[in-house]
Amino acid sequence: MEGRLANAWRLTVNDKNFIKTALLSEIRIDGRKPFEYRKISIKFGREDGSSEVQLGQTRVISIVTAQLVQPYRDRPKEGMLSIFTEFSPMADPSFEPGRPGELAVELGRIIDRGLRESRAVDTESLCILAGKFVWAVRIDIHILDNGGNLVDAANIAALASLLTFRRPECSLGGEDGQEVIVHPPEIREPLPLMVHHLPIAITFGFFNNESILLIDPTHNEEAVMNGRMTTTVNANGDICAIQKGGGEGVPQRVIMQCLQLATSKAASITKQIKDAVEAFNTERALRKIKRHPTSTGVDVREKQNQ
Amino acid sequence: MEVDREDGRSQNQLRPLACSRNILHRAHGSASWSQGDTKVLAAVYGPKAGTKKNENPEKACIEVIWKPKTGQIGKLEKEYEMILKRTLQSICILTVNPNTTTSVMIQVVNDDGALLPSAINAACMALVDAGIPMRHLAVSISCCVARSGVSGLVILDPTKLEEQKMKAFAYLVFPNSVHSVLPEGSPSVQGEPIENGIITSVTHGTMSVDDYFYCLERGRAASTKLSDFLRRNLQQQPTNSSKAG
């Protein structure tokens, strides 16, 4: 019970030494090999554009919504993409509610850079009426459980929800063609977003000893490691972004090794995301077929004898 | 007099319920509750040392954080936090761990009507999963009044569409029904069994007094069924009591 009274969670010195010593023999405490990813499971909610990703013990949900707004004046033909990350206090006892801390901001920026600068999402297709109406796509990422490596899990969740999101179809109307009519989903089938490629974030962990290199650290390993690097690559072999903010210095050959590893991992993760999205789309199409409702609710009768 | 409901349910039918506990690894207690398409996730951390500034240090304090699905936190979320906090304060035994704070976090995963009742049920199950001492459980149900003038037309567990269309609706929280093994029966207050008491009632829209009492009757009947569901669920999944730090 005493352990619960502390707000912050700290790893003991014995635990830290155990993890480091095990890594010298290329053993990780959860039994993985140094370059092995944890099991990724991608699930979707009932609505379009909501996904839940579990990476080992890390759990993240991502919700995509869109709104019609006026575009920026210097970019009248482009839509907008914005990412909001919420480090919910339910994920980790040290996360505070309220304004996002620096970890949350960094995570949001990494995912934002991967999607926006690499032009993964086509923003020009979001323009309805140049200078007047464009779609502003908003991605809300909620971290539910911090089991380590939040960046990768959040990135996969954001991609999965973007791929399953459908925006309402709209057409121009009115007297001079300047009005936008948004068609409800029951009248006209909503449209998916145009996503050119999938930038996958892969995180590496560095330690004091040069020979130790990890992929996909758990939160125990994150407390022990001395430096981290997140590379965002896609299955075509393009490097979309690299983020290494401070920490242990690493030689060039280690960086090149990491990039090569990342490209091979990205291919398998991309395939996993695409398979999950396809399964969801099939199930969605089946749901469109009107069926007799099979919901078996609980029937409640009034109390006869009071 | 029958009402046609979109999903084919009758007046008194609840949506399919699903509840699972111990789904998060870092939180001390967690539960996910879904009624039809409405899904809410609750996590509990605690007790932690110290209470907030304006709280009574001689009792345990409960802190609620409500996270909506999308968008900024506004007045509606603050209102839900306050209602949830007061409800949970009345069911937890606050004198066991004085000068501590128990945090309850609610995350809305999907909202299709009866959001606050789902959140209360989820929070209750999460508190059980965390092992926080409580007097009894809180069982929450939502009822809405279908039409004016035709009294007695109360439907249970409305979806979001039904809530918006109908005249008025009420969220009600009752204590759970008791199966007593004592010879004197279940505890009672002034001659009435304890499960007839109302912990919380939040209404939206106008309804006549008779309609409200009819809602209470239906809600109480439904709470018995919900209590049975909770009891079966809790008995099946034994609580993992070894969650340290």
Side-chain angles (χ1 to χ4, degrees):
Chain A
M1 199 62 173
E2 271 62 42
R4 288 172 161 197
L5 295 179
N7 247 354
W9 165 84
R10 261 182 257 281
L11 209 50
T12 64
V13 175
N14 275 344
D15 280 335
K16 286 189 186 172
N17 289 338
F18 183 76
I19 296 176
K20 283 194 189 156
T21 324
L23 282 171
L24 285 171
S25 330
E26 299 211 341
I27 303 173
R28 295 171 80 165
I29 48 171
D30 54 356
R32 286 185 284 156
K33 294 202 269 294
F35 303 138
E36 201 181 311
Y37 244 82
R38 285 175 285 181
K39 179 168 175 302
I40 303 174
S41 95
I42 304 174
K43 281 192 274 225
F44 297 96
R46 282 277 296 187
E47 293 185 356
D48 296 329
S50 91
S51 72
E52 181 185 317
V53 168
Q54 231 177 323
L55 176 62
Q57 287 189 352
T58 302
R59 212 171 160 132
V60 176
I61 57 176
S62 164
I63 316 268
V64 176
T65 46
Q67 228 187 346
L68 270 179
V69 295
Q70 232 184 359
Y72 291 131
R73 229 171 292 187
D74 54 343
R75 272 181 251 183
K77 293 211 185 109
E78 279 187 24
M80 299 185 221
L81 180 73
S82 50
I83 301 181
F84 291 84
T85 41
E86 289 268 338
F87 271 32
S88 173
M90 72 164 65
D92 195 302
S94 59
F95 290 167
E96 300 281 322
R99 278 187 53 194
E102 40 177 64
L103 282 175
V105 175
E106 191 184 0
L107 191 148
R109 287 294 300 137
I110 297 176
I111 301 180
D112 187 79
R113 217 175 320 137
L115 288 173
R116 192 200 302 274
E117 317 248 330
S118 64
R119 306 208 192 281
V121 178
D122 188 77
T123 45
E124 285 187 4
S125 66
L126 297 174
C127 174
I128 306 298
L129 194 56
K132 296 259 181 65
F133 290 110
V134 297
W135 284 109
V137 176
R138 179 193 163 116
I139 308 178
D140 282 283
I141 300 179
H142 299 281
I143 313 281
L144 300 177
D145 208 0
N146 181 12
N149 200 7
L150 295 172
V151 184
D152 295 10
N155 197 21
I156 298 175
L159 290 171
S161 56
L162 277 173
L163 287 172
T164 55
F165 175 65
R166 305 278 168 118
R167 62 171 178 85
E169 192 182 328
C170 31
S171 47
L172 296 171
E175 310 87 48
D176 51 353
Q178 294 295 306
E179 270 178 37
V180 175
I181 308 166
V182 179
H183 300 281
E186 295 87 40
I187 314 289
R188 286 220 207 156
E189 184 71 15
L191 310 165
L193 294 175
M194 231 200 286
V195 180
H196 297 302
H197 64 96
L198 296 177
I200 311 281
I202 315 267
T203 302
F204 296 87
F206 306 120
F207 293 78
N208 274 332
N209 189 324
E210 267 186 26
S211 58
I212 311 179
L213 179 65
L214 279 187
I215 209 174
D216 187 20
T218 62
H219 71 284
N220 288 320
E221 291 163 345
E222 280 181 348
V224 179
M225 66 194 196
N226 304 105
R228 70 187 305 138
M229 179 171 77
T230 303
T231 58
T232 310
V233 296
N234 68 10
N236 301 335
D238 303 322
I239 301 173
C240 305
I242 300 182
Q243 170 99 356
K244 184 187 185 308
E248 183 74 19
V250 284
Q252 254 183 358
R253 55 167 179 81
V254 176
I255 304 276
M256 295 312 292
Q257 185 189 4
C258 291
L259 286 172
Q260 276 161 0
L261 261 171
T263 318
S264 60
K265 293 288 172 196
S268 63
I269 296 178
T270 308
K271 182 173 180 308
Q272 210 173 342
I273 298 178
K274 288 200 172 148
D275 288 342
V277 170
E278 214 176 283
F280 172 76
N281 284 334
T282 324
E283 195 240 314
R284 187 179 181 276
L286 287 174
R287 235 191 299 141
K288 287 280 173 186
I289 305 170
K290 291 267 182 212
R291 288 196 173 144
H292 187 75
T294 54
S295 67
T296 49
V298 177
D299 209 349
V300 173
R301 296 265 179 271
E302 280 181 57
K303 268 194 188 160
Q304 297 295 341
N305 42 343
Q306 269 290 49
Chain B
M1 204 144 327
E2 278 304 310
V3 179
D4 282 323
R5 297 178 82 170
E6 278 234 354
D7 45 9
R9 281 186 288 152
S10 77
Q11 258 182 292
N12 286 333
Q13 247 185 326
L14 302 174
R15 286 176 286 183
L17 302 167
C19 172
S20 47
R21 284 185 299 124
N22 204 12
I23 38 183
L24 301 178
H25 297 93
R26 300 300 298 278
H28 295 146
S30 54
S32 137
W33 179 278
S34 64
Q35 274 179 235
D37 277 342
T38 302
K39 187 162 174 211
V40 177
L41 191 62
V44 170
Y45 277 99
K48 292 184 283 203
T51 50
K52 295 252 154 43
K53 259 169 110 165
N54 298 327
E55 302 282 348
N56 183 1
E58 292 186 26
K59 289 196 176 159
C61 153
I62 299 193
E63 170 195 38
V64 178
I65 298 170
W66 181 289
K67 292 260 181 218
K69 185 171 156 181
T70 177
Q72 299 273 35
I73 296 187
K75 298 216 174 77
L76 185 64
E77 284 75 34
K78 291 284 175 205
E79 185 192 354
Y80 284 158
E81 283 178 10
M82 181 207 69
I83 297 174
L84 202 61
K85 176 178 163 159
R86 295 211 188 146
T87 307
L88 296 177
Q89 267 175 343
S90 69
I91 61 171
C92 291
I93 304 178
L94 298 175
T95 48
V96 174
N97 293 316
N99 203 16
T100 60
T101 306
T102 302
S103 308
V104 179
M105 290 98 181
I106 305 284
Q107 171 71 55
V108 176
V109 179
N110 198 19
D111 177 14
D112 189 27
L115 184 61
L116 189 59
S118 306
I120 294 175
N121 290 329
C124 211
M125 296 297 267
L127 285 170
V128 171
D129 193 44
I132 307 292
M134 294 192 281
R135 257 179 241 115
H136 49 75
L137 297 178
V139 169
S140 177
I141 187 80
S142 116
C143 326
C144 77
V145 177
R147 284 197 283 272
S148 66
V150 187
S151 75
L153 199 46
V154 166
I155 55 179
L156 286 179
D157 200 11
T159 61
K160 196 160 191 161
L161 237 68
E162 288 172 342
E163 273 180 5
Q164 284 165 348
K165 278 195 309 194
M166 300 296 177
K167 218 179 109 205
F169 59 92
Y171 297 142
L172 302 164
V173 184
F174 298 98
N176 67 320
S177 64
V178 180
H179 285 180
S180 181
V181 295
L182 300 170
E184 55 265 24
S186 50
S188 60
V189 177
Q190 291 181 349
E192 272 200 71
I194 203 166
E195 61 233 35
N196 280 0
I198 310 169
I199 302 178
T200 302
S201 153
V202 184
T203 59
H204 294 255
T206 52
M207 57 174 93
S208 71
V209 177
D210 290 327
D211 283 339
Y212 181 65
F213 283 133
Y214 206 59
C215 279
L216 289 182
E217 266 182 65
R218 289 294 180 92
R220 213 174 274 132
S223 76
T224 320
K225 285 281 187 275
L226 271 176
S227 302
D228 288 337
F229 172 76
L230 283 177
R231 184 169 284 113
R232 267 180 286 136
N233 198 294
L234 287 171
Q235 278 171 345
Q236 272 169 18
Q237 253 185 309
T239 312
N240 179 9
S241 56
S242 61
K243 275 264 175 80

